[in-house]
Amino acid sequence: MKIPKPLNCALLFFLGAFISLALDILGLMPFSVVSVLGSNIHVSGLEYFALPAVYIVGGIIIGAISKNNGSACIYAASFGQCQTILPLIIYYFILHEGTPLDIWLRAVSGMLLSVPFAGIAFSIKTLIKNNAQKSK
């Protein structure tokens, strides 16, 4: 397995952090039940659907453009890592608000969704590529 480029991992980590902060500004509050950035907008209940969808789509895109399955999974983990770690830190150590269900629903939408979907997307891409080569 070829080792993924550290710069790509760092860029995907910052992209994941940027997306999480942008969602907080838009009122989806990915980190906690209150806005970490102080946004006055709040879209109640939508974060339970929109937040996982963002990381599923991100994982699919990463898997579709990666060169190998290992790189796809590592890049997807870099993308979702911020969303997995920050809710736990913010809930347990800073804000102390919300329920355990809130904490874990937000935390699992990062790496635990982006990595499998990146692997699935890479596998589908490989199957399509192999079938196209066989039919020639």
Side-chain angles (χ1 to χ4, degrees):
M1 177 178 90
K2 186 177 174 185
I3 297 173
K5 296 179 182 176
L7 180 62
N8 291 347
C9 291
L11 290 174
L12 286 167
F13 175 80
F14 287 117
L15 177 64
F18 174 76
I19 287 172
S20 294
L21 294 174
L23 290 172
D24 189 71
I25 291 170
L26 293 174
L28 292 177
M29 320 239 185
F31 299 131
S32 67
V33 292
V34 296
S35 176
V36 175
L37 299 176
S39 175
N40 293 329
I41 305 169
H42 180 67
V43 183
S44 180
L46 190 59
E47 62 265 6
Y48 295 119
F49 302 106
L51 188 60
V54 166
Y55 287 95
I56 288 171
V57 169
I60 290 170
I61 292 170
I62 290 169
I65 62 174
S66 294
K67 302 267 189 232
N68 62 48
N69 198 17
S71 293
C73 292
I74 291 172
Y75 288 149
S78 297
F79 176 68
Q81 182 178 9
C82 182
Q83 180 58 38
T84 301
I85 295 170
L86 283 181
L88 299 175
I89 292 171
I90 290 171
Y91 268 113
Y92 285 125
F93 300 114
I94 298 173
L95 294 177
H96 305 291
E97 293 187 18
T99 64
L101 179 65
D102 286 331
I103 298 167
W104 291 103
L105 282 176
R106 285 168 165 71
V108 300
S109 67
M111 283 194 302
L112 295 180
L113 288 177
S114 61
V115 173
F117 279 93
I120 291 167
F122 180 81
S123 298
I124 291 171
K125 178 183 92 169
T126 304
L127 287 173
I128 292 170
K129 190 186 298 185
N130 289 342
N131 284 339
Q133 288 176 353
K134 286 182 183 179
S135 65
K136 286 184 179 182

